[in-house]
Amino acid sequence: MARQDGSAGFTHRTVLGPAGRIHLVEQGTGPLVLLVHGFPESWYSWRRQLPALAAAGYRAVALDVRGYGRSAKPAATDAYRMLDLVADNVAVVHALGEESAVVVGHDCGATIAANSGLVRPDVFRAVGMLSVPYVPRGGPRPGEVFAGMGGGEEFHVSYFQEPGRAEAEIEPDVRGWLAGFYAALSADTMAGPDAPDPHFVGAGGTLRDRFPEGPLPGWLGETDLDVYAGEFERTGFTGALNRYRNMDRDWADLAAYDGAPLKQPSLFVGGTEDASTMWLADAIEAFPVTLPGLVSSRLLDGCGHWVQQERPEETNRLLVDWLAGVTPAGSRSG
């Protein structure tokens, strides 16, 4: 089932995945490029990439990840483990009549994209990652690592673990919370380096306590915020947060891939002002070993976490240049 959104040139489509419906938005024809969003977003975070990739000769498809937007939201917490999300991506490729695709992800979507390439190299022949670099599975359980971060403060991933806890903070004012969260991680609105870190929660506090007050980030208009808020006001946040509640399960599920490199042609784009690239600087330095097929790695100066929204023109140029080398426009994707 598909419907045309004439105002934007996007086609909205629903396909069947392992857990039920998967909502897609697509534009263009040519080799398939699958775009996977992060937290707390939706297909809409790729609104600036869909037309650019379509104009360059690609079939660009952005999905709502399981638990988000108009896609299925299974009730069980453990229905959001990484292997389930990889299976969803494979189902999308096949439902669209293709045998293979390039996959690009942002934030936790970058991790989903990387693992899709790792687990199903037969389907995903190239992998692009924005904001969050590839980190091979290994070391102690993630829950133990996150619990040891921050000293007397609580890392946001640990804060997200208890079902209902973060939801109680966010859902009474979804729009306001999203505005603050987006601003906290945007280069033009984030607090100064001496301010309390918004990735951590103080004793007895909330994440929102550390969000900056002031205008929206330059990339986020009131209409854009309405789109994001409208989706989460309808769906709630549990499906989105359940991704974080499966990281220890993923660690166990992916044991066979311990230390494994991601061999396909790859791309990484991050921002110099993004905590992800700062904390994971060692992972970026390890790319010659962990990403032997790396084509390009770029840090955009003065860019925060929301790379493709903060700097759409640069991101689009990097994506199109990379795609031209790994999947020339007009070639068959099967």
Side-chain angles (χ1 to χ4, degrees):
M1 180 178 68
R3 65 180 178 83
Q4 190 75 24
D5 181 347
S7 63
F10 299 148
T11 297
H12 291 256
R13 183 186 306 276
T14 301
V15 301
L16 185 62
R21 70 185 181 279
I22 302 174
H23 172 239
L24 315 172
V25 179
E26 67 175 298
Q27 189 170 8
T29 59
L32 177 60
V33 181
L34 183 63
L35 305 169
V36 186
H37 67 79
F39 174 89
E41 301 177 274
S42 74
W43 75 267
Y44 190 74
S45 64
W46 301 103
R47 64 195 177 280
R48 303 287 186 83
Q49 283 65 56
L50 289 164
L53 295 181
Y58 299 95
R59 184 184 188 184
V61 176
L63 77 161
D64 280 337
V65 171
R66 179 185 299 210
Y68 288 82
R70 301 177 213 170
S71 290
K73 299 160 190 66
T77 300
D78 65 357
Y80 296 82
R81 52 214 305 164
M82 182 58 68
L83 291 179
D84 291 321
L85 302 179
V86 170
D88 286 348
N89 286 351
V90 172
V92 167
V93 173
H94 292 161
L96 293 176
E98 303 287 351
E99 295 179 4
S100 66
V102 175
V103 61
V104 180
H106 169 254
D107 181 64
C108 54
T111 306
I112 297 169
N115 280 285
S116 295
L118 187 69
V119 174
R120 293 300 304 269
D122 57 317
V123 176
F124 300 103
R125 63 181 179 278
V127 180
M129 293 158 281
L130 308 184
S131 297
V132 176
Y134 178 58
V135 181
R137 187 265 186 210
R141 286 183 178 274
E144 297 173 7
V145 174
F146 297 137
M149 297 175 63
E153 299 180 336
E154 187 176 17
F155 191 49
H156 70 283
V157 177
S158 297
Y159 177 69
F160 289 161
Q161 293 306 303
E162 181 184 343
R165 185 184 179 198
E167 289 93 326
E169 172 189 343
I170 302 168
E171 290 179 357
D173 179 20
V174 167
R175 194 178 193 277
W177 192 92
L178 286 173
F181 190 78
Y182 294 147
L185 306 187
S186 296
D188 61 338
T189 49
M190 63 177 56
D194 296 330
D197 193 330
H199 297 88
F200 292 83
V201 176
T206 65
L207 280 171
R208 189 169 187 164
D209 295 339
R210 299 184 174 185
F211 292 168
E213 297 181 0
L216 295 177
W219 60 267
L220 183 69
E222 296 286 350
T223 300
D224 300 320
L225 182 56
D226 286 342
V227 171
Y228 285 124
E231 292 292 83
F232 286 107
E233 285 168 351
R234 180 170 52 81
T235 65
F237 265 78
T238 296
L241 290 164
N242 279 344
R243 170 82 290 274
Y244 294 94
R245 295 166 182 161
N246 279 278
M247 290 186 173
D248 282 352
R249 294 185 181 95
D250 298 338
W251 182 85
D253 290 345
L254 296 168
Y257 298 92
D258 193 79
L262 183 62
K263 297 179 181 179
Q264 292 97 317
S266 57
L267 167 75
F268 176 72
V269 183
T272 61
E273 305 307 308
D274 185 2
S276 297
T277 60
M278 300 175 196
W279 291 334
L280 296 173
D282 289 347
I284 295 173
E285 290 183 8
F287 280 170
V289 174
T290 62
L291 294 177
L294 182 68
V295 174
S296 177
S297 177
R298 290 285 301 275
L299 291 180
L300 303 182
D301 189 47
C303 182
H305 183 66
W306 317 104
V307 173
Q308 77 270 33
Q309 298 183 87
E310 291 187 52
R311 304 284 274 277
E313 292 81 9
E314 289 172 83
T315 301
N316 292 347
R317 184 170 62 252
L318 290 168
L319 285 172
V320 169
D321 288 349
W322 172 66
L323 286 167
V326 300
T327 305
S331 67
R332 290 193 58 82
S333 61

